[in-house]
Coordinates of all heavy atoms in Angstrom, one line a residue:
G1 N -25.5 17.7 29.5 CA -24.5 16.8 29.1 C -25.0 15.9 27.9 O -24.3 15.6 27.0
E2 N -26.3 15.5 28.0 CA -26.9 14.7 27.0 C -27.0 15.5 25.7 O -26.8 15.0 24.6 CB -28.3 14.2 27.4 CG -28.3 13.4 28.7 CD -27.8 12.0 28.4 OE1 -27.3 11.7 27.3 OE2 -28.0 11.1 29.3
F3 N -27.3 16.8 25.8 CA -27.4 17.6 24.6 C -26.1 17.8 23.9 O -26.0 17.7 22.7 CB -28.0 19.0 25.0 CG -28.3 19.8 23.8 CD1 -29.3 19.6 22.9 CD2 -27.4 20.9 23.5 CE1 -29.5 20.4 21.8 CE2 -27.6 21.7 22.4 CZ -28.7 21.4 21.5
A4 N -25.0 18.0 24.7 CA -23.7 18.2 24.1 C -23.3 16.9 23.4 O -22.8 16.9 22.2 CB -22.7 18.5 25.2
Q5 N -23.6 15.8 24.0 CA -23.2 14.5 23.4 C -24.0 14.3 22.1 O -23.6 13.8 21.1 CB -23.5 13.4 24.4 CG -23.2 12.0 23.8 CD -23.6 10.9 24.8 OE1 -24.0 11.2 25.9 NE2 -23.4 9.6 24.4
F6 N -25.3 14.7 22.1 CA -26.1 14.6 21.0 C -25.6 15.4 19.8 O -25.6 15.0 18.7 CB -27.6 15.1 21.4 CG -28.5 15.0 20.2 CD1 -29.1 13.8 19.9 CD2 -28.9 16.2 19.6 CE1 -30.0 13.8 18.8 CE2 -29.8 16.1 18.5 CZ -30.4 14.9 18.1
V7 N -25.2 16.6 20.1 CA -24.7 17.5 19.0 C -23.4 17.0 18.4 O -23.2 17.0 17.1 CB -24.5 18.9 19.5 CG1 -23.8 19.8 18.5 CG2 -25.8 19.5 20.0
K8 N -22.5 16.4 19.1 CA -21.2 16.1 18.7 C -21.1 14.6 18.1 O -20.1 14.3 17.4 CB -20.2 16.1 19.8 CG -20.0 17.6 20.3 CD -19.0 17.6 21.5 CE -18.8 19.0 22.0 NZ -17.9 19.0 23.2
S9 N -22.1 13.8 18.3 CA -22.0 12.4 17.9 C -22.4 12.3 16.4 O -22.9 13.2 15.8 CB -23.0 11.6 18.8 OG -24.3 12.1 18.6
Q10 N -22.0 11.1 15.9 CA -22.3 10.7 14.5 C -23.9 10.5 14.4 O -24.6 10.4 15.4 CB -21.6 9.4 14.1 CG -20.1 9.6 14.2 CD -19.6 10.5 13.1 OE1 -20.2 10.6 12.0 NE2 -18.5 11.3 13.4
R11 N -24.3 10.5 13.1 CA -25.8 10.3 12.9 C -26.3 9.1 13.5 O -27.4 9.1 14.2 CB -26.0 10.3 11.4 CG -27.5 10.2 11.1 CD -27.8 10.3 9.6 NE -29.2 10.2 9.2 CZ -29.9 9.1 9.1 NH1 -29.2 7.9 9.3 NH2 -31.1 9.1 8.8
S12 N -25.6 7.9 13.4 CA -26.1 6.7 13.9 C -26.1 6.7 15.4 O -27.0 6.2 16.1 CB -25.1 5.5 13.5 OG -23.8 5.7 13.9
D13 N -25.1 7.4 16.0 CA -25.0 7.6 17.5 C -26.1 8.5 18.0 O -26.7 8.3 19.0 CB -23.7 8.1 17.9 CG -22.5 7.1 17.6 OD1 -22.8 5.9 17.6 OD2 -21.4 7.6 17.4
R14 N -26.5 9.5 17.2 CA -27.5 10.4 17.6 C -28.9 9.7 17.6 O -29.7 9.9 18.5 CB -27.6 11.6 16.6 CG -26.5 12.6 16.8 CD -26.9 14.0 16.2 NE -27.2 13.9 14.8 CZ -26.3 14.0 13.8 NH1 -25.0 14.2 14.1 NH2 -26.7 14.0 12.5
L15 N -29.1 8.8 16.6 CA -30.3 8.0 16.6 C -30.4 7.1 17.8 O -31.5 7.0 18.4 CB -30.3 7.1 15.3 CG -30.5 7.9 14.0 CD1 -30.4 7.0 12.8 CD2 -31.9 8.6 14.0
K16 N -29.3 6.5 18.2 CA -29.3 5.7 19.4 C -29.5 6.5 20.6 O -30.3 6.1 21.5 CB -27.9 4.9 19.5 CG -27.7 3.9 18.4 CD -26.3 3.2 18.6 CE -26.0 2.2 17.5 NZ -24.7 1.6 17.7
L17 N -28.9 7.7 20.7 CA -29.1 8.6 21.8 C -30.6 9.0 21.9 O -31.1 9.0 23.0 CB -28.2 9.8 21.7 CG -28.3 10.8 22.8 CD1 -27.9 10.1 24.2 CD2 -27.3 12.0 22.6
V18 N -31.2 9.4 20.8 CA -32.6 9.8 20.8 C -33.4 8.6 21.3 O -34.4 8.8 22.1 CB -33.0 10.3 19.4 CG1 -34.5 10.4 19.4 CG2 -32.4 11.6 19.1
S19 N -33.1 7.4 20.8 CA -33.9 6.3 21.3 C -33.7 6.0 22.8 O -34.7 5.7 23.4 CB -33.4 5.0 20.5 OG -33.6 5.1 19.1
R20 N -32.5 6.3 23.3 CA -32.3 6.1 24.7 C -33.0 7.2 25.5 O -33.6 6.9 26.6 CB -30.8 6.1 25.0 CG -30.5 5.8 26.5 CD -29.0 5.5 26.6 NE -28.2 6.7 26.1 CZ -27.9 7.8 26.8 NH1 -28.4 7.9 28.0 NH2 -27.2 8.7 26.3
L21 N -32.9 8.4 25.1 CA -33.5 9.5 25.8 C -35.0 9.4 25.9 O -35.6 9.7 26.9 CB -33.1 10.9 25.1 CG -31.6 11.3 25.3 CD1 -31.4 12.6 24.5 CD2 -31.4 11.6 26.8
F22 N -35.6 9.0 24.8 CA -37.0 8.9 24.7 C -37.6 7.5 24.9 O -38.7 7.2 24.6 CB -37.5 9.5 23.4 CG -37.3 11.0 23.3 CD1 -36.2 11.4 22.6 CD2 -38.2 11.9 23.8 CE1 -35.9 12.8 22.5 CE2 -38.0 13.2 23.7 CZ -36.8 13.7 23.0
D23 N -36.7 6.6 25.4 CA -37.1 5.2 25.7 C -37.7 4.6 24.5 O -38.8 3.9 24.5 CB -38.1 5.2 26.9 CG -37.4 5.5 28.2 OD1 -36.2 5.3 28.3 OD2 -38.1 5.9 29.1
L24 N -37.1 4.8 23.3 CA -37.6 4.2 22.1 C -37.0 2.8 21.7 O -37.3 2.2 20.8 CB -37.4 5.2 20.9 CG -38.0 6.5 21.0 CD1 -37.7 7.4 19.8 CD2 -39.5 6.3 21.1
E25 N -35.9 2.4 22.5 CA -35.2 1.2 22.2 C -36.2 0.0 22.3 O -36.2 -0.8 21.4 CB -34.1 1.0 23.2 CG -33.0 2.1 23.0 CD -31.9 2.0 24.1 OE1 -32.3 1.6 25.2 OE2 -30.8 2.3 23.9
E26 N -37.0 0.0 23.3 CA -37.9 -1.1 23.5 C -38.9 -1.2 22.3 O -39.2 -2.2 21.8 CB -38.7 -1.0 24.8 CG -39.7 -2.1 25.0 CD -40.4 -2.0 26.4 OE1 -40.1 -1.0 27.1 OE2 -41.2 -2.9 26.7
Y27 N -39.4 0.0 21.9 CA -40.4 0.1 20.8 C -39.7 -0.3 19.5 O -40.3 -0.9 18.6 CB -41.0 1.5 20.7 CG -41.7 1.9 22.0 CD1 -41.1 2.8 22.9 CD2 -43.0 1.4 22.2 CE1 -41.8 3.1 24.1 CE2 -43.7 1.8 23.4 CZ -43.1 2.6 24.3 OH -43.8 3.0 25.4
G28 N -38.4 0.1 19.4 CA -37.6 -0.3 18.2 C -37.5 -1.8 18.0 O -37.7 -2.4 17.0
E29 N -37.2 -2.5 19.2 CA -37.1 -3.9 19.1 C -38.4 -4.6 18.8 O -38.5 -5.5 18.1 CB -36.6 -4.4 20.5 CG -35.1 -4.0 20.8 CD -34.7 -4.4 22.1 OE1 -35.5 -5.0 22.9 OE2 -33.5 -4.2 22.5
R30 N -39.5 -4.0 19.4 CA -40.8 -4.5 19.2 C -41.2 -4.4 17.7 O -41.7 -5.3 17.1 CB -41.8 -3.8 20.0 CG -41.8 -4.2 21.5 CD -42.9 -3.5 22.2 NE -42.9 -3.8 23.7 CZ -43.7 -3.2 24.6 NH1 -44.6 -2.3 24.1 NH2 -43.6 -3.5 25.8
L31 N -40.8 -3.2 17.2 CA -41.1 -2.9 15.8 C -40.4 -3.9 14.9 O -40.9 -4.4 13.9 CB -40.8 -1.5 15.4 CG -41.1 -1.0 14.0 CD1 -42.6 -1.2 13.7 CD2 -40.6 0.4 13.8
V32 N -39.0 -4.1 15.2 CA -38.3 -5.0 14.3 C -38.8 -6.4 14.4 O -39.0 -7.1 13.4 CB -36.8 -5.0 14.8 CG1 -36.0 -6.1 14.1 CG2 -36.1 -3.7 14.5
K33 N -39.2 -6.8 15.6 CA -39.8 -8.2 15.7 C -41.1 -8.3 15.0 O -41.4 -9.3 14.3 CB -40.0 -8.5 17.2 CG -38.7 -8.7 18.0 CD -39.0 -9.1 19.4 CE -37.7 -9.3 20.2 NZ -38.0 -9.6 21.7
K34 N -41.9 -7.2 15.1 CA -43.2 -7.2 14.4 C -43.0 -7.2 12.9 O -43.7 -8.0 12.2 CB -44.0 -5.9 14.8 CG -45.4 -5.9 14.3 CD -46.2 -4.7 14.9 CE -47.6 -4.7 14.3 NZ -48.4 -3.6 14.9
V35 N -42.0 -6.4 12.4 CA -41.8 -6.4 11.0 C -41.3 -7.7 10.5 O -41.7 -8.2 9.4 CB -40.8 -5.3 10.6 CG1 -40.3 -5.4 9.2 CG2 -41.4 -3.9 10.9
N36 N -40.3 -8.3 11.3 CA -39.8 -9.6 10.9 C -40.9 -10.7 10.9 O -40.9 -11.5 10.0 CB -38.7 -10.0 11.9 CG -37.4 -9.2 11.7 OD1 -37.2 -8.7 10.6 ND2 -36.6 -9.1 12.7
A37 N -41.7 -10.6 11.9 CA -42.8 -11.6 11.9 C -43.8 -11.4 10.7 O -44.2 -12.4 10.1 CB -43.6 -11.5 13.2
R38 N -44.0 -10.1 10.4 CA -44.9 -9.9 9.3 C -44.2 -10.3 8.0 O -44.9 -10.8 7.1 CB -45.2 -8.4 9.3 CG -46.2 -7.9 8.1 CD -47.5 -8.7 8.2 NE -48.3 -8.4 7.1 CZ -49.4 -9.0 6.7 NH1 -49.8 -10.1 7.5 NH2 -50.1 -8.7 5.7
F39 N -42.9 -10.1 7.9 CA -42.2 -10.5 6.7 C -42.2 -12.0 6.5 O -42.4 -12.5 5.4 CB -40.7 -10.0 6.8 CG -39.9 -10.4 5.6 CD1 -40.0 -9.8 4.4 CD2 -39.0 -11.4 5.8 CE1 -39.2 -10.2 3.3 CE2 -38.2 -11.9 4.7 CZ -38.3 -11.3 3.5
A40 N -42.0 -12.7 7.6 CA -42.0 -14.2 7.6 C -43.4 -14.7 7.2 O -43.5 -15.6 6.4 CB -41.6 -14.8 8.9
L41 N -44.4 -14.0 7.7 CA -45.8 -14.4 7.3 C -46.1 -14.1 5.9 O -46.7 -14.9 5.2 CB -46.8 -13.7 8.2 CG -48.3 -14.0 8.0 CD1 -48.6 -15.5 8.2 CD2 -49.2 -13.1 8.9
S42 N -45.6 -13.0 5.4 CA -45.8 -12.6 4.0 C -45.0 -13.6 3.1 O -45.5 -14.0 2.0 CB -45.3 -11.2 3.8 OG -46.0 -10.3 4.5
M43 N -43.8 -14.0 3.5 CA -43.1 -15.0 2.7 C -43.8 -16.3 2.6 O -43.8 -17.0 1.6 CB -41.7 -15.2 3.3 CG -40.7 -14.0 3.0 SD -40.5 -13.7 1.3 CE -39.7 -15.2 0.7
K44 N -44.4 -16.7 3.8 CA -45.1 -18.0 3.8 C -46.3 -17.9 2.9 O -46.6 -18.8 2.1 CB -45.5 -18.3 5.2 CG -46.2 -19.6 5.4 CD -46.5 -19.9 6.9 CE -47.1 -21.3 7.0 NZ -47.4 -21.6 8.5
E45 N -47.0 -16.8 2.9 CA -48.2 -16.6 2.0 C -47.7 -16.6 0.6 O -48.4 -17.1 -0.3 CB -48.9 -15.3 2.4 CG -49.6 -15.3 3.8 CD -50.2 -14.0 4.1 OE1 -50.0 -13.0 3.4 OE2 -50.9 -13.9 5.1
Y46 N -46.6 -15.9 0.3 CA -46.0 -15.9 -1.0 C -45.7 -17.3 -1.5 O -46.0 -17.6 -2.7 CB -44.8 -15.0 -1.1 CG -44.0 -15.1 -2.4 CD1 -44.5 -14.4 -3.5 CD2 -42.9 -15.9 -2.5 CE1 -43.8 -14.5 -4.7 CE2 -42.2 -16.0 -3.7 CZ -42.6 -15.3 -4.8 OH -42.0 -15.4 -6.0

């Protein structure tokens, strides 16, 4: 069922599905937070 949903969904939905299937959502949030923190630090240094 997951594979059929994966094939028929839009690209954005497929990315979300892959993140859910492989438990990447938590890592994505961590990555976004890490990037934002790094960006804020870079802006402060700038």
Side-chain angles (χ1 to χ4, degrees):
E2 301 283 11
F3 183 74
Q5 181 182 357
F6 179 78
V7 171
K8 296 178 182 179
S9 61
Q10 298 293 327
R11 181 178 180 276
S12 59
D13 296 332
R14 287 199 302 271
L15 291 175
K16 293 179 181 179
L17 180 59
V18 168
S19 297
R20 182 169 58 83
L21 286 175
F22 293 95
D23 289 337
L24 298 178
E25 295 172 328
E26 181 179 0
Y27 299 101
E29 292 177 0
R30 288 181 181 177
L31 181 61
V32 170
K33 290 180 180 179
K34 186 175 181 180
V35 170
N36 287 338
R38 182 58 184 167
F39 176 75
L41 181 61
S42 298
M43 287 300 298
K44 186 175 181 179
E45 292 176 353
Y46 170 78

